[in-house]
Amino acid sequence: MRFLKQAMVLLIVMSTLPVMAADEIVVYSARNEQLIKPLFDAYTAETGTPIKFITDKEGPLLEKLKAEGANTPADLLITVDAGNLWLAAKEGVLAQVNSKALKTNIPAHLRDPDNRWFGLSVRARTIVYSTARVKPSQLSTYEALGDTKWKGRLCLRTSKKVYNQSLVAMMIARLGEAKTEKVVTSWVANLATDPFPDDTKLMEAIAAGQCDVGIVNTYYYGRLKQKQPEAPIALFWPNQKDRGVHVNVSGAGVTAHAKHREAAVKFLEWLSSKKAQNLFADENLEYPANPKIKPHASVAAWGKFKQDTINVSKAGSLQAQAVMLMDRAGYK
Amino acid sequence: MSATAENMRQAPPAETGIAAWLDVNVRLWRMASFAVAGVVAAPILVIALAWLTPAGDVWRHLVHTVLGELLRHTAVLMLGVGVGVFVLGAGLAWLIAMCEFPGRRFFDWALMLPLAMPAYVLAFVAVALLDFSGPVQGAWRALFGRAAWFPPIRSAGGVIGVMVLAFYPYVYMLARAAFLAHGRRMLETGRVCGLTPWAAFARVALPMGARHWSPVWRWR
């Protein structure tokens, strides 16, 4: 009887051993499965480290991490938008990572000043215009979209989308709150129609002639052009003479209670390396965060541009201010 | 002594016993119902309590900026969708239950089918078809010129239209059942007493049917 008990205890202990010993990584991802699965497969093929993951929206994932606390199985959080990464860091679910490789590969403005998260791909939010009714020489800056010459010709996506909240937050950081509010108010005065629910609808409206200019993330433009190469729209890089184009990131951070911290850091370093950067960015027509890596040929064809090098974490710390500013300006 | 007491307890007057038994049970049932309701309501209560969490200045900001418009939109939606589902649901039910026309038997069940369509799916379809860049407005402009006016789908009217089309079957099914249950006899009585067909509908059928299917009457 006693022997049986001992044997059972031994069996139970042994059955947990391989789980603890295996160098697997558990990832919570707000980035779509079809965008991250190829990366995981490539990493597992290269290193033998299995990767488990779940995908969800960023809000539920953050709440899950907070609720699980020290018991979380997650080692790495992957999410989009610097505002979301900033919030995860502020809520204390991400741990500092001091890695030379990450600091070398990822420019300072694309990662947390305290190194709790790192941008892995760059998405530029820029001006899109109708090639039928607008000459690029008529365009200059985000602010200039408030000129009266664009009255009834501007289309914007809803201010509820975090990409626009980040854009306005960065403008507050650069221009100050009063100036930014004037700019946003002048945009609202120029709107051709109510704000759109997504960037694609906005570009379709420009192509159909409802409006002439708008602001979109470049990869939506890339996707639309893949489907409709003849669509009469093109991208314009604004503010090239001053601060540069507003950029945001999708990125990742190691969780505060990671059970496989070392493996997770290694994986994060690999994600910033040459091998992974193209896999990470190209699938979604984004720009690699590592400046040494060239973007996908069809992305590179949109031309080189100067990006705003203010730290993207500002998108988080100024987000509440930005939302309130847009409410006051009547930007729905 | 004790035997007598025992006997008395064993044979109480019948009504009192049942009444007491019921009384205890009613209380039990009520308590059980509240317990179950509490569990069911918990997630909603959590959301309701979340209203208290934003700081005072956030509330002040909302009141100064968007809250008024949001409440106005809510009121317009409630009124518009309420009137819309009433007119469409009860009107169609009346035609199906009281009139005879070709295709009536098909429409009898086909009019319930929109129940299977979630409102947001209908909204996607409506926007894809009817927005400026959609095929309908494209054809419209090709016919009548670039400046031709078309009612905007992304508007209060558009939302009301979509929600009415998604939700009218609830009213339709209940109203149809009510009209069928009452039959024509009461209406014919009304007609014999000198009411026009419309007056018979408004003064006999609607008040009788209303208690069956109008949520307003049901709550009263």
Side-chain angles (χ1 to χ4, degrees):
Chain A
M1 197 58 195
R2 186 157 168 194
F3 166 77
L4 202 68
K5 257 189 205 161
Q6 281 173 343
M8 272 175 73
V9 168
L10 197 68
L11 208 68
I12 289 166
V13 169
M14 273 172 63
S15 69
T16 63
L17 275 179
V19 178
M20 289 162 73
D23 231 6
E24 65 162 27
I25 304 169
V26 181
V27 177
Y28 284 5
S29 173
R31 206 169 154 87
N32 289 342
E33 175 165 349
Q34 79 263 22
L35 296 180
I36 52 166
K37 188 78 181 6
L39 281 164
F40 298 164
D41 292 344
Y43 188 68
T44 307
E46 196 179 311
T47 63
T49 308
I51 298 178
K52 286 186 188 164
F53 68 96
I54 60 167
T55 62
D56 205 333
K57 297 251 179 227
E58 51 273 357
L61 283 182
L62 179 56
E63 288 304 318
K64 195 168 155 70
L65 277 172
K66 273 160 68 183
E68 287 168 347
N71 295 322
T72 186
D75 301 307
L76 195 71
L77 174 70
I78 298 181
T79 182
V80 291
D81 193 273
N84 293 326
L85 289 161
W86 174 87
L87 184 63
K90 183 173 164 260
E91 297 286 348
V93 299
L94 299 180
Q96 251 184 13
V97 171
N98 283 311
S99 149
K100 221 177 137 208
L102 283 168
K103 280 181 194 162
T104 329
N105 289 340
I106 308 298
H109 70 286
L110 301 178
R111 54 180 151 90
D112 177 29
D114 294 328
N115 294 313
R116 289 164 299 181
W117 50 263
F118 301 83
L120 293 170
S121 67
V122 171
R123 44 254 314 271
R125 193 155 184 80
T126 193
I127 294 179
V128 60
Y129 64 95
S130 154
T131 50
R133 294 178 301 281
V134 177
K135 287 194 192 76
S137 60
Q138 294 172 285
L139 294 160
S140 56
T141 61
Y142 296 107
E143 297 90 283
L145 292 179
D147 287 353
T148 45
K149 72 172 169 191
W150 299 115
K151 189 146 191 80
R153 300 172 69 187
L154 174 67
C155 274
L156 290 176
R157 183 181 187 165
T158 170
S159 66
K160 307 290 176 291
K161 186 66 195 181
V162 68
Y163 302 153
N164 281 334
Q165 295 169 359
S166 295
L167 170 70
V168 172
M170 297 304 227
M171 284 172 66
I172 293 174
R174 284 297 199 183
L175 306 172
E177 186 162 9
K179 176 92 193 290
T180 305
E181 187 163 343
K182 261 193 199 147
V183 172
V184 176
T185 310
S186 65
W187 285 353
V188 174
N190 283 348
L191 285 180
T193 180
D194 287 333
F196 286 85
D198 58 66
D199 285 3
T200 308
K201 279 255 173 304
L202 190 161
M203 285 183 288
E204 284 170 356
I206 293 180
Q210 191 170 19
C211 42
D212 300 338
V213 285
I215 301 175
V216 295
N217 280 7
T218 50
Y219 53 90
Y220 290 115
Y221 171 83
R223 282 187 216 163
L224 189 83
K225 275 290 196 177
Q226 279 180 346
K227 270 189 254 161
Q228 308 169 32
E230 76 297 342
I233 51 173
L235 293 178
F236 177 83
W237 305 117
N239 298 75
Q240 291 304 285
K241 288 185 187 142
D242 46 60
R243 63 183 187 272
V245 173
H246 164 62
V247 293
N248 206 323
V249 292
S250 77
V254 176
T255 62
H257 301 284
K259 307 290 179 295
H260 314 94
R261 186 184 151 87
E262 234 171 279
V265 172
K266 250 190 223 157
F267 178 51
L268 194 52
E269 288 172 343
W270 180 81
L271 285 174
S272 74
S273 72
K274 185 163 174 40
K275 269 173 256 167
Q277 276 284 285
N278 279 115
L279 265 180
F280 199 98
D282 292 0
E283 191 75 28
N284 196 32
L285 301 173
E286 290 175 61
Y287 294 89
N290 185 336
K292 285 180 223 118
I293 315 295
K294 285 204 182 73
H296 189 270
S298 67
V299 174
W302 304 334
K304 285 202 168 139
F305 63 94
K306 174 179 158 190
Q307 55 175 277
D308 192 347
T309 51
I310 194 170
N311 192 289
V312 289
S313 66
K314 285 275 179 218
S317 54
L318 293 171
Q319 189 183 70
Q321 222 177 318
V323 171
M324 288 187 169
L325 186 152
M326 290 191 283
D327 281 347
R328 286 198 302 274
Y331 178 9
K332 284 181 217 159
Chain B
M1 185 64 187
S2 68
T4 6
E6 196 79 41
N7 284 343
M8 279 174 74
R9 232 179 284 148
Q10 271 176 353
E15 320 86 80
T16 344
I18 289 168
W21 182 83
L22 269 180
D23 205 37
V24 170
N25 254 346
V26 163
R27 241 179 286 148
L28 269 178
W29 275 116
R30 191 172 293 163
M31 265 157 40
S33 312
F34 274 119
V36 172
V39 172
V40 173
I44 299 167
L45 285 178
V46 168
I47 290 172
L49 288 176
W51 281 58
L52 302 174
T53 34
D57 54 336
V58 171
W59 270 113
R60 218 166 304 128
H61 164 79
L62 289 175
V63 170
H64 278 299
T65 53
V66 292
L67 191 65
E69 198 183 3
L70 292 178
L71 289 176
R72 213 182 60 238
H73 284 167
T74 307
V76 167
L77 267 190
M78 278 170 63
L79 195 75
V81 178
V83 170
V85 294
F86 174 84
V87 171
L88 197 62
L92 289 172
W94 178 258
L95 290 177
I96 294 294
M98 293 295 164
C99 305
E100 190 55 60
F101 52 88
R104 191 195 66 83
R105 284 181 43 179
F106 163 75
F107 284 115
D108 193 7
W109 56 266
L111 284 170
M112 299 178 199
L113 290 185
L115 262 190
M117 172 91 81
Y120 77 94
V121 174
L122 200 60
F124 273 122
V125 173
V127 168
L129 284 178
L130 299 174
D131 205 8
F132 190 94
S133 52
V136 173
Q137 286 212 51
W140 186 260
R141 285 194 300 277
L143 276 176
F144 301 108
R146 269 192 51 82
W149 184 82
F150 193 89
I153 181 70
R154 292 187 297 121
S155 63
V159 178
I160 289 173
V162 165
M163 286 176 86
V164 165
L165 289 178
F167 297 133
Y168 85 84
Y170 292 98
V171 175
Y172 167 74
M173 288 197 299
L174 294 166
R176 177 183 159 280
F179 289 145
L180 285 177
H182 293 138
R184 290 156 185 259
R185 199 160 295 164
M186 296 296 264
L187 276 169
E188 279 161 4
T189 313
R191 293 293 305 281
V192 167
C193 292
L195 293 177
T196 63
W198 278 107
F201 174 71
R203 292 179 56 188
V204 180
L206 272 190
M208 279 175 55
R211 74 187 63 225
H212 285 268
W213 43 265
S214 160
V216 181
W217 267 278
R218 293 198 140 194
W219 283 338
R220 283 218 305 204

